[in-house]
Amino acid sequence: MPKKYIATPSRTKELLNKYGFAFKKSLGQNFLIDVNVLENIIHQAGITKETGAIEIGPGMGALTEQLAIHADRVVAFEIDQRLLPILEETLADYDNVEVILEDILKADVDEVIRTHFEEGHDIHVVANLPYYITTPILMKLVRDRLQVTSLTVMIQKEVADRMAAVPNTKSYGSLSIAVQYYTEAKVVLNVPKQVFMPQPNVDSSVLKLVMRKEPPVQVDNEDFFFELIQASFAQRRKTLRNNLNRFLQEKLEKHQVEALLEEASIDGGRRGETLTIEEFADLANIVYKEIQKS
């Protein structure tokens, strides 16, 4: 393995010392120091010389470097200005990388794609995401329905499990359905704490989200669909009937809610975690139509 790779403990320490860099807890900075893990992520993401890559939070460039080696073109969003001189050094050998100093949550990613990639380019998001802001970033990217094929991200194991969870499991909830409405989700790799500097307090997993061309269900109103799902999980131990009565109390009487559950062929005594996305879609459409009448 070439010594120049960034993702080794010795090279990472060397760079930290050279630039006097101190990790910021507020930015959730945990740098990867294992090339084998990075190469596995690249493989799972399906990165080849025909693909483009978007990275979020390149840090000192450990993953960026591997993306530059394996991909056609890489665009990386970094929020910490202190890292720019380090990235200038570590990525100096690669002319296919562009680092943008911008918060991904505020960025017009669609415009960046149009500017930096050719039309129809097969683009993948690949990132070691800051754990404290994983969900907002992923939900923004999938809801914006960007022209990307997939998102392969290193995140907290518990969150990855929730996003990929199926009904009747402890991890399944409103987040599972929201993510799976836009993507096909699968945990492809579990990663030990030891491959990070500094080591995080939680276990990590790599989650792959393949963008859907169409949602798996048809809903009359997306906002209401997601509101009803969130309400159904508001108090996990309560029945669907109880949660929905609370959610709809200003719009519908209890007997109306019961009738709508019957119309959807759903037992109100069930809990939200037992319903499939199809059942939620049917129920949301039936309830939404009833509300529109009144």
Side-chain angles (χ1 to χ4, degrees):
M1 183 175 71
K3 205 173 184 180
K4 65 174 185 175
Y5 281 164
I6 301 157
T8 63
S10 58
R11 180 75 172 122
T12 301
K13 282 175 187 166
E14 180 192 317
L15 288 164
L16 290 171
N17 293 334
K18 179 177 178 179
Y19 288 91
F21 184 85
F23 294 99
K24 270 191 183 175
K25 272 193 174 179
S26 63
L27 294 177
Q29 289 169 329
N30 302 92
F31 298 160
L32 280 157
I33 52 169
D34 188 311
V35 175
N36 292 326
V37 170
L38 291 171
E39 287 181 336
N40 203 339
I41 293 170
I42 300 283
H43 171 70
Q44 294 293 348
I47 297 296
T48 70
K49 275 297 175 189
E50 323 292 74
T51 60
I54 294 173
E55 188 189 4
I56 300 149
M60 292 198 295
L63 176 57
T64 326
E65 176 179 56
Q66 296 304 318
L67 286 168
I69 291 166
H70 293 91
D72 171 42
R73 182 152 185 73
V74 183
V75 174
F77 288 89
E78 179 53 64
I79 199 172
D80 189 351
Q81 194 160 0
R82 301 174 306 150
L83 287 162
L84 294 188
I86 304 177
L87 288 166
E88 268 182 41
E89 177 185 333
T90 58
L91 302 174
D93 293 343
Y94 308 102
D95 60 5
N96 60 341
V97 181
E98 179 82 26
V99 178
I100 298 173
L101 183 67
E102 193 170 4
D103 182 346
I104 190 72
L105 289 172
K106 296 173 183 168
D108 184 345
V109 185
D110 219 14
E111 177 60 30
V112 169
I113 288 172
R114 282 196 297 273
T115 306
H116 294 278
F117 298 98
E118 290 176 19
E119 195 174 340
H121 206 152
D122 181 21
I123 303 165
H124 301 260
V125 174
V126 189
N128 170 24
L129 289 180
Y131 294 166
Y132 76 102
I133 203 164
T134 295
T135 302
I137 290 174
L138 288 179
M139 290 315 298
K140 170 191 161 59
L141 296 178
V142 298
R143 280 184 175 146
D144 285 355
R145 291 186 164 97
L146 300 172
Q147 293 305 301
V148 299
T149 304
S150 71
L151 301 88
T152 303
V153 291
M154 173 97 72
I155 60 176
Q156 186 176 336
K157 183 179 187 303
E158 182 190 337
V159 179
D161 288 343
R162 283 169 59 203
M163 289 184 173
V166 296
N168 292 301
T169 60
K170 194 174 75 170
S171 298
Y172 183 72
S174 55
L175 183 61
S176 320
I177 300 165
V179 168
Q180 291 169 40
Y181 180 79
Y182 298 102
T183 72
E184 292 178 50
K186 186 181 179 186
V187 175
V188 293
L189 195 64
N190 290 319
V191 181
K193 298 173 187 177
Q194 290 76 13
V195 302
F196 294 95
M197 184 183 293
Q199 285 188 26
N201 298 321
V202 295
D203 292 321
S204 306
S205 292
V206 176
L207 178 76
K208 183 166 186 178
L209 304 173
V210 178
M211 295 295 289
R212 295 183 187 272
K213 287 187 171 60
E214 294 289 335
V217 290
Q218 293 299 311
V219 294
D220 297 337
N221 183 297
E222 277 187 6
D223 289 340
F224 182 77
F225 171 64
F226 290 122
E227 281 171 22
L228 182 136
I229 289 165
Q230 279 205 305
S232 300
F233 288 96
Q235 291 178 282
R236 284 187 76 98
R237 293 187 177 185
K238 293 212 166 182
T239 63
L240 187 63
R241 179 186 293 113
N242 284 342
N243 277 327
L244 288 182
N245 278 328
R246 190 171 180 180
F247 169 56
L248 298 164
Q249 61 188 350
E250 292 177 12
K251 296 183 178 80
L252 299 171
E253 300 289 336
K254 285 185 179 180
H255 68 88
Q256 289 176 292
V257 174
E258 197 62 47
L260 294 173
L261 283 164
E262 277 184 36
E263 190 182 333
S265 303
I266 294 170
D267 178 357
R270 290 168 65 184
R271 288 179 179 168
E273 68 213 46
T274 69
L275 270 69
T276 63
I277 190 168
E278 291 79 11
E279 287 178 307
F280 272 120
D282 288 345
L283 181 60
N285 288 342
I286 287 166
V287 174
Y288 184 69
K289 277 174 189 156
E290 185 64 29
I291 290 171
Q292 293 302 101
K293 281 186 208 168
S294 52

